[in-house]
Amino acid sequence: MTTQVLICDDSSFARKQMARALPDNWDIKVHYAENGVEALDQIRQGHGEILFLDLNMPVMDGYQTLEGIRNEDLPTMPIVVSGDIQPEAMDRVKKLGALEFIKKPVDGHLIGQILNNYGISFEDEVSKTVEVEIDGYDLDDSYKELANVAMGRAADLLARLLKAFVIMPIPNVKHLGIKELEMALDNVKADDSISAVCQGFIGAGVAGEALLIFNESSYTDIAELMRFEGEIDEAAQLELLMDISSVLCNACLNGIANQLDINFSLGHPMVIGQHIHFDDILKGAASTWKELLTIEMGYQIENKNINCDLLLLITEDSIDTLNERVSYLLE
Amino acid sequence: MESGQVNIKDIHWLMDMLQSIDVGLVVLDKDYNVLVWNSFMENHSGIGPAIIKDKNLFDMCPTIPQNWFRQKAESVFLLKSSTFTVWEQRPYLFEFKNYRPITGSAEFMYQNITLIPLLSADNQVRHVGVLIYDVTDIAVSKIKLKEANTKLESLSKTDHLTQLNNRGAWEQQLEKEFKRSNRADHICSVVMFDIDHFKKVNDTYGHQAGDEVIRRTSALLQETMRLTDIAGRYGGEEFGVILVDTNAENALIFTERLRQRIEAETVEFDKFKINYTVSLGVAEISKDCETYQQWLERADKALYVCKETGRNRSEVYKE
């Protein structure tokens, strides 16, 4: 009998990745949803005997979807597929009724095993009825998904460093000239007092900079979480800034490099300034890039006034290589 | 580098490279015992690898800030993630002399540090690699640049003749004080004053004598005011003073004291003995003033009254 499988993810790229990872010889019909509201609707129609559910989505996120399923007692087997890999996120979804928690990027072999564990076998089935349209996907969507997985790893490390839950929003992808870079940031306002650190990376034809922008109103809470004793003066702020940027830049860049199967060389981080505004960052910049790929990843800590932004800037001449590498992710 | 690419006989020259590279390389285990210590480390510290091998780093190099370093290294072990520190945080980890002890301008070597997790075959991190980069030249030029900028900034705000704030800088302070007082309901007064018949001083004794009179006036002003008051040279022979936390009545005590000191002063220049006087106008900050310019204008009006009524006097602004 044909099994109804529902893939719920806001990223079209991630939906395709997921569909590709499903076992070949399994008699299923695949349905898609872009957020929790759509997913609940599909399940009510009987389209979601098995649900692969992303956590970070607009409109209704994965947590709320699980609550919805439980409240209505909907007939589905929810399996969470998430870039957010904090242990706390796993605990929370298990408590909300998720059967399994799979880390992105999804691994077909692992999915087969998990399905087997739930008594679903497909060894003997002959036909695969999955119809997946692979050709054509939104490139920005693919960068978003790439960043989503990378920032999930970074968030996991940050959470362990701070022993707190990191709220992971959806990465923000834009194409901007160097002069309009302030538009890359939705979370930082022009008159916010910030500290900034940047770190260059290069490898396999992909180059750029990771820019960590730290809202200075965050220092009090960060110092508390890091059990920092003493006065939070300028020197102390610099210590905290470097600790956070080391973890976030590193984990995020490694996360991206891993997915693309390349190795980045990382330059030593440079402190751009303390108590500055965003437009000070580019004051000394000599570059004239007409277009940069910018990916903003805002990190917040639950119940704390901590706001920091990791901005990835990727040069125009990296885009072709990047696109090629990204396309391998669907194979 | 993948180990598969390296022949056992190549290890020799690979080690040679690690030895001679001009970057400090140290490998530590979880107890901070030293396993690798390359030539850079040996030559700058004076401690040979045979001596430090398997010894505790903190015992052998007691000047290392132990708690600080431990905290950084622990996070590398725990998170399996590299950590970076820059010289701005701490000028150095190892107390080494400047590489150029003769022509260099720093006494010690500024260092950037990278701590990297070293994975064992079982995917565990039992060792941490420490890379020490000499960034003395970068650090020194950055520090000098900052000093030069600070000096330039101060030069651009200072009046050359009197070393008081120049007009631009003083007006900026006035605006700041105006906003601050308005916001916090602080009392504050501004004084405008000038030297009576200054043109006559210049014409009679020469411009150099005039400069000396201005310099002396500025010196007397600085002796009379408090440290927190802000003085500036507003124009040729015109001065302004911001008297913080001072009402008009007390400002008048100040202006009278200054006026009398100047009246009693004799400037000797060449063979001349020059006596001169000043006139001063005072205005207390008021809610009626919408801008700092209006406030300043009131002091100017009070000054004008002094001029009209015989000079060598001070007056408080009245509606």
Side-chain angles (χ1 to χ4, degrees), chain B residues 253-318:
Chain B
I253 296 173
F254 164 82
T255 54
E256 274 304 291
R257 200 185 309 137
L258 179 62
R259 186 187 64 75
Q260 284 160 16
R261 279 182 96 155
I262 289 174
E263 189 180 15
E265 183 78 3
T266 305
V267 175
E268 294 188 24
F269 188 82
D270 273 352
K271 49 194 185 302
F272 306 119
K273 289 191 163 130
I274 307 164
N275 289 302
Y276 68 104
T277 57
V278 292
S279 302
L280 311 95
V282 175
E284 189 182 303
I285 198 161
S286 155
K287 291 266 181 263
D288 310 337
C289 300
E290 278 165 25
T291 62
Y292 79 91
Q293 286 96 337
Q294 288 179 7
W295 181 26
L296 190 58
E297 220 174 272
R298 291 185 169 191
D300 217 29
K301 276 184 185 150
L303 171 59
Y304 184 75
V305 173
C306 299
K307 294 279 181 196
E308 291 292 286
T309 51
R311 299 193 165 80
N312 191 19
R313 323 166 21 111
S314 42
E315 277 289 342
V316 175
Y317 169 80
K318 287 179 199 82

Side-chain angles (χ1 to χ4, degrees), chain B residues 214-275:
Chain B
I214 283 171
R215 244 195 308 260
R216 188 67 60 86
T217 308
S218 137
L220 288 171
L221 166 61
Q222 277 172 298
E223 281 168 31
T224 313
M225 70 184 208
R226 299 164 302 180
L227 268 178
T228 46
D229 297 334
I230 302 156
R233 184 171 175 213
Y234 194 79
E237 75 276 23
E238 268 183 309
F239 296 83
V241 195
I242 306 163
L243 300 170
V244 188
D245 297 324
T246 307
N247 61 18
E249 195 184 336
N250 287 326
L252 198 63
I253 296 173
F254 164 82
T255 54
E256 274 304 291
R257 200 185 309 137
L258 179 62
R259 186 187 64 75
Q260 284 160 16
R261 279 182 96 155
I262 289 174
E263 189 180 15
E265 183 78 3
T266 305
V267 175
E268 294 188 24
F269 188 82
D270 273 352
K271 49 194 185 302
F272 306 119
K273 289 191 163 130
I274 307 164
N275 289 302

Side-chain angles (χ1 to χ4, degrees), chain A residues 59-101:
Chain A
V59 188
M60 181 191 270
D61 67 16
Y63 300 102
Q64 293 165 320
T65 312
L66 288 168
E67 276 173 34
I69 290 169
R70 199 166 58 178
N71 291 344
E72 290 185 45
D73 198 17
L74 292 174
T76 183
M77 289 169 61
I79 296 172
V80 166
V81 183
S82 170
D84 186 351
I85 54 169
Q86 298 175 74
E88 175 77 25
M90 280 185 222
D91 281 357
R92 289 186 188 187
V93 296
K94 289 269 173 77
K95 278 186 191 133
L96 287 169
L99 297 177
E100 290 289 337
F101 187 101

Side-chain angles (χ1 to χ4, degrees), chain B residues 95-215:
Chain B
E95 197 177 349
F96 293 163
K97 287 205 180 75
N98 188 341
Y99 222 140
R100 292 187 292 120
I102 297 130
T103 59
S105 60
E107 273 180 44
F108 51 81
M109 178 196 288
Y110 284 87
Q111 295 157 9
N112 278 355
I113 309 289
T114 306
L115 296 179
I116 45 178
L118 300 174
L119 280 180
S120 309
D122 60 354
N123 215 24
Q124 291 301 307
V125 178
R126 296 198 183 82
H127 301 102
V128 58
V130 188
L131 306 180
I132 296 103
Y133 300 94
D134 176 2
V135 291
T136 310
D137 289 341
I138 299 166
V140 167
S141 32
K142 199 162 171 188
I143 291 167
K144 285 203 171 141
L145 182 68
K146 203 172 168 188
E147 282 170 3
N149 279 336
T150 314
K151 203 169 165 188
L152 265 178
E153 202 187 325
S154 136
L155 275 177
S156 71
K157 288 180 176 171
T158 309
D159 172 61
H160 186 64
L161 182 66
T162 60
Q163 298 301 309
L164 297 176
N165 288 301
N166 63 23
R167 178 171 173 170
W170 185 75
E171 276 199 58
Q172 245 176 29
Q173 297 270 20
L174 185 68
E175 184 177 13
K176 218 165 97 187
E177 207 49 50
F178 178 76
K179 285 183 177 157
R180 192 182 76 96
S181 298
N182 258 349
R183 201 171 46 232
D185 252 343
H186 273 300
I187 203 86
C188 186
S189 294
V190 64
V191 178
M192 281 293 278
F193 72 92
D194 74 1
I195 299 167
D196 296 327
H197 301 301
F198 183 69
K199 195 174 173 300
K200 219 188 262 172
V201 175
N202 269 341
D203 291 348
T204 318
Y205 308 106
H207 280 95
Q208 278 177 322
D211 282 354
E212 185 53 34
V213 167
I214 283 171
R215 244 195 308 260

